[in-house]
Amino acid sequence: MADGTRRTRAFEEVLLQVERRIADDGLKVGDRLPGERQLAEQLQVSRSSVREAIRVLETLGVVSSQVGRGPDAGAVLTSRPDSALTDLLRLSLGLSSLSLREVIDTRLMIERWSAEHAARAAPLPEPAEALMEAMLAMEAAASAEDFVRHDIAFHVAIAEASGNRLIAAVMRALRGAMRKYAIEAVDRLGDTRVLREDHRRIYDAIVSGDTATAVDAVTAHLAHAYPELF
Amino acid sequence: MADGTRRTRAFEEVLLQVERRIADDGLKVGDRLPGERQLAEQLQVSRSSVREAIRVLETLGVVSSQVGRGPDAGAVLTSRPDSALTDLLRLSLGLSSLSLREVIDTRLMIERWSAEHAARAAPLPEPAEALMEAMLAMEAAASAEDFVRHDIAFHVAIAEASGNRLIAAVMRALRGAMRKYAIEAVDRLGDTRVLREDHRRIYDAIVSGDTATAVDAVTAHLAHAYPELF
DNA sequence: AACCGAGTATGGTCAGACCATACTCCAGGC
DNA sequence: GCCTGGAGTATGGTCTGACCATACTCGGTT
């Protein structure tokens, strides 16, 4: 008989306390958590339980553990949600609990939003430079894998140019989790000319601040990359 | 001097092996992982390391641990990325590494997409029923907390009606992480009449399949909820 | 002042023990 | 034959205590 409230495990209590401490003490990125042994004593649990809690926080990209001694040693608060998101999506795809269709549709939503807002924010010299650099690298790419690496950089740069770090993080995670499928898609296409022309059009629209054209261009781009879904 | 490649920890090796096994053996949701002791022996690591790896997988919503004995005991493969996403966003907000602005903009993007696709998929009886139920519950809500609970149910139902589980999961995570802020926003507003009227318009547009009006209605709704950001 | 070695705090790992839980299975009674 | 209750057992949950590798700190030496 399940009463719905499984007894909370020791490491979950540690998680609650640490999160409470972050909120109450106003801990910021760069601050350190107490050592594992000290935390264990404070919360009256074993070091193993503390370690499991820290492992969870590390998985969520909230802390980073460093061995040794000194100001940078121990569990330091960070904020790198990207890898957590990427792992999450990759594993969900691996378990087939999400269809490629759902992921691509999500990507299309984010690409359109990013392109629109990046164009609206134009002209910004740094993003434009990052985009151009990725395009040149794609021209010189020798393999599908190489091409996809710079393709990811290109699209992530658009998301970053939008100015929204959450959306940029989701884009990074999506592309990271889909890397394998993207390489396969490029291999299937054989020729990347269409994709490269798409990139050029996207670039021009964004740097000239033409939001409508930018949105249309990324939409057409995804249709070219995944013709079977359109 | 950092060589960039920190020696991989034991639990990371376990993670790799488990993920490889999922891919190679074609493990599906519902399948069981070997027991902690057995896995430890197979991979030649201690049980603690196996436990840390399983804790990571549990955090990512990939496995669920059950004590006891029998077919459901042990580490069972699942797929519940929602809580992981929620934790991720909540902690990132707590560390102020994301601004409310970025989160709300992301939400607006998702709400618009969901409303558009939900309206396009109409008429579907089940989603319409879920939406109506949440609206009625909001009418009867006695507190801001109560109102927000059903408000979340309403918006999640829209995302689910869109048919995209990834986007629905992101919506659930976003709203879960923002719960506290939503309650504060409702308290600040004092009166929920405007919000309830918005819901009614959103509902009507979706069930009648009017995509354009649905998108406009959710946009207006968020502007009412967070006037300071528009 | 520059160098070098001992000291030490940190996370990483392991072995082994015990507990609570919840199923499995079988003996016994009806 | 069927049901029931208790023993058995495999599971995760927790704790203890130990040892290691790492990397800083500090003091003494040159």
Side-chain angles (χ1 to χ4, degrees), chain A residues 20 29 40 48 70 92 105 107 113 139 155 172 175 200 210 212:
Chain A
R20 201 175 58 79
V29 169
S48 335
S92 292
D105 277 349
R107 185 185 154 194
W113 192 94
E139 296 293 335
H155 288 279
R172 235 175 270 122
R175 295 306 308 264
R200 184 79 211 183
D210 185 345

Side-chain angles (χ1 to χ4, degrees), chain A residues 130-145:
Chain A
L131 290 175
M132 178 59 82
E133 193 175 322
M135 278 200 299
L136 293 176
M138 274 185 274
E139 296 293 335
S143 64
E145 194 172 331

